[in-house]
Amino acid sequence: MNNKVIIIRYAELYLKGKNRKFFENLLMDNIKKSLRGIDCKITFGRSRYEISDYSEEKELLSRLQKIFGIHSISVAQKCDADINAICETVKQYSIETQTFKVNTNRADKMYPMTSVEVSAEAGGAILSANPKLKVDVHDPQTVINIDIREDGCAYIFKDKILCAGGMPVGSAGKGLLLLSGGLDSPVAGYMMAKRGLKLNAIHFHSYPYTSEKAKQKVIDLAEILSEYAGPITLTCIPFTKIQEEIHKCCTSNYMITIVRRFMMRIAERVAMLDECGCLINGESLGQVASQTLQSITVTNDIVKSMPIFRPCIGMDKQEIIELALKIKTYNTSILPYEDCCTVFLPDSPVTKPTLKRAEYEERKIANIDSLIAEAIYNREIIHIEKI
Ligand code: ATP
Ligand code: MG
């Protein structure tokens, strides 16, 4: 027996005690869904998943690196745990560096040789096949790992590829992401999916003030996010009439504050309709006028029935940009299509709004409830699934 497999190690799941089985099964489901369309066999045993009988290695590795809950993966040669088979297998490794070391881990404590003996024997086999190589146990340029398992198999691999980490999507419930076309909200969605939240998304658009392209940009962003978070249900809310009403009735420097409060009202209701347990947005403290402590207090006040998660709250723009680049939302986010928040933008929005004044401004709008009901009634629902 001698074949190539991918070993998948999971991340924090061991924390979960009795729930461990639930997490392991959920991660297995997520792996299967994410690898749909690729021919391979997936098995699970002793806290690891294994992929065998595959050919599309590059695509497999790329998809596995996006699955939350996976800590690391390795491409390994699997052989009998017999020392001769191990030596034959390690000899085939091409080692391009000058120095190496063999590291053996023996899960099978009944194995007739110690780890040190296996490493020495395998190291000797490598040296005889590559006489120019040198062993360096302290600072080797290449490490060959040998993992001897209880089932009579050995796994031999060079690298551990670190993956996305976090918790399997769905293990923490479902959240509704307020997704604009900007840089911050996709990053916020990514961060919460990493903690195990399945995502729904809501987007407010102000057609014809904002274009079809602006909406398409949000669909594209949701599609990129779905590579990590799985299928996303995106609710698009027509927001023009509400913005026109606010513009007509309210003092202009409170425009953004009131707009935000309407978004929160609608988002909370859509979250309830879609059985989401929290809202998620991309706010970062102090980034713009609508994200000062006072502004956040006034918009936060609307939502009473669930928490609002703001994972970017303590991040600098530069840190958000780096994450956007890493998750590949950056290039789409920076496309220059206007967002609904730029419609009727006042010259000088308040940076320190008060709740009392916001409520006073809103009393000038006669029909808040029906405006909201109408916007939700006219929502468009788009199911987004990449792969
Ligand atoms: P982003 O880069 O995410 O657009 P931003 O820095 O532009 O954020 P704001 O425009 O003040 O900040 O928006 C703050 C948050 O409000 C956004 O991160 C997003 O979660 C939500 N939001 C803003 N506009 C919309 C919209 N049109 N649809 C849905 N959510 C929105
Ligand atoms: Mg924005």
Side-chain angles (χ1 to χ4, degrees):
M1 180 182 65
N2 188 353
N3 55 15
K4 217 173 174 195
V5 298
I6 299 173
I7 304 168
I8 302 173
R9 304 173 192 86
Y10 57 53
E12 281 178 42
L13 309 188
Y14 59 84
L15 291 174
K16 294 296 157 191
K18 282 186 197 152
N19 285 333
R20 186 173 159 145
K21 200 79 232 132
F22 163 75
F23 282 81
E24 286 173 347
N25 291 341
L26 183 59
L27 183 53
M28 180 62 137
D29 280 353
N30 290 353
I31 292 172
K32 282 184 181 160
K33 279 182 199 146
S34 159
L35 300 187
R36 220 166 31 206
I38 301 186
D39 230 6
C40 64
K41 189 172 148 203
I42 311 168
T43 51
F44 177 76
R46 296 185 194 274
S47 316
R48 285 166 171 212
Y49 305 83
E50 187 176 310
I51 298 182
S52 55
D53 303 322
Y54 64 89
S55 54
E56 293 174 69
E57 184 168 295
K58 209 169 152 218
E59 180 65 20
L60 270 172
L61 294 181
S62 142
R63 289 202 201 170
L64 288 170
Q65 283 174 69
K66 291 178 179 165
I67 301 174
F68 292 125
I70 295 180
H71 172 262
S72 67
I73 52 180
S74 294
V75 178
Q77 287 290 339
K78 187 176 179 181
C79 66
D80 289 331
D82 167 71
I83 188 68
N84 293 324
I86 292 175
C87 288
E88 272 315 303
T89 309
V90 289
K91 270 202 256 177
Q92 291 158 22
Y93 267 84
S94 65
I95 301 175
E96 275 111 34
T97 57
Q98 290 166 339
T99 63
F100 79 101
K101 161 187 165 173
V102 179
N103 196 11
T104 303
N105 176 37
R106 217 172 38 128
D108 178 7
K109 299 300 176 201
M110 304 295 282
Y111 194 72
M113 295 168 78
T114 65
S115 304
V116 176
E117 286 167 348
V118 174
S119 294
E121 193 90 8
I126 293 173
L127 283 174
S128 68
N130 309 271
K132 285 191 183 149
L133 282 174
K134 281 205 172 61
V135 175
D136 181 346
V137 288
H138 300 296
D139 190 20
Q141 292 164 309
T142 300
V143 178
I144 300 285
N145 297 284
I146 303 176
D147 214 348
I148 299 175
R149 311 292 289 175
E150 289 97 331
D151 58 359
C153 294
Y155 294 82
I156 295 155
F157 58 91
K158 274 205 254 185
D159 307 310
K160 271 189 185 178
I161 305 167
L162 278 184
C163 295
M167 310 291 280
V169 167
S171 61
K174 191 161 70 171
L176 181 63
L177 170 67
L178 283 87
L179 185 60
S180 67
L183 272 164
D184 308 330
S185 44
V187 168
Y190 173 89
M191 288 170 84
M192 295 320 299
K194 181 171 179 174
R195 295 310 305 161
L197 277 181
K198 187 171 161 42
L199 298 181
N200 276 15
I202 184 167
H203 175 67
F204 300 88
H205 66 90
S206 308
Y207 189 78
Y209 299 105
T210 60
S211 63
E212 270 302 311
K213 277 186 180 164
K215 190 171 121 193
Q216 186 57 45
K217 177 180 169 183
V218 172
I219 295 172
D220 293 345
L221 285 170
E223 214 168 77
I224 300 170
L225 268 183
S226 77
E227 289 179 34
Y228 306 92
I232 294 174
T233 301
L234 169 67
T235 298
C236 291
I237 301 283
F239 206 49
T240 316
K241 194 167 166 191
I242 289 177
Q243 282 186 292
E244 283 170 347
E245 261 329 277
I246 300 172
H247 182 60
K248 200 170 76 193
C249 304
C250 305
T251 307
S252 81
N253 64 349
Y254 262 71
M255 178 86 201
I256 291 183
T257 310
I258 312 288
V259 161
R260 286 270 181 269
R261 282 165 60 88
F262 270 80
M263 283 187 183
M264 286 300 178
R265 284 186 180 96
I266 294 173
E268 186 181 23
R269 287 197 204 176
V270 169
M272 285 198 256
L273 286 173
D274 291 354
E275 295 174 336
C276 295
C278 63
L279 300 180
I280 303 160
N281 73 24
E283 286 171 334
S284 160
L285 189 63
Q287 196 189 79
V288 286
S290 60
Q291 297 176 29
T292 62
L293 180 55
Q294 292 83 353
S295 293
I296 292 176
T297 304
V298 174
T299 46
N300 193 66
D301 185 73
I302 292 288
V303 180
K304 309 282 191 208
S305 68
M306 58 187 72
I308 304 170
F309 292 143
R310 300 174 174 87
C312 299
I313 198 73
M315 292 169 82
D316 291 346
K317 197 76 191 180
Q318 192 52 36
E319 292 170 317
I320 296 172
I321 288 173
E322 275 160 26
L323 199 41
L325 284 166
K326 183 180 144 197
I327 67 173
K328 306 250 179 321
T329 50
Y330 181 85
N331 286 338
T332 307
S333 285
I334 60 168
L335 293 173
Y337 307 128
E338 65 299 329
D339 184 50
C340 76
C341 298
T342 52
V343 178
F344 308 127
L345 199 67
D347 290 338
S348 55
V350 278
T351 54
K352 293 182 181 170
T354 64
L355 190 54
K356 222 170 137 188
R357 177 70 192 276
E359 285 170 346
Y360 166 79
E361 290 296 329
E362 282 174 359
R363 279 196 290 276
K364 299 183 198 165
I365 306 169
N367 46 352
I368 289 186
D369 286 344
S370 60
L371 279 170
I372 286 173
E374 189 185 339
I376 294 177
Y377 181 79
N378 288 322
R379 71 191 183 280
E380 180 191 1
I381 295 173
I382 304 170
H383 294 285
I384 289 172
E385 187 164 6
K386 187 76 192 272
I387 291 162

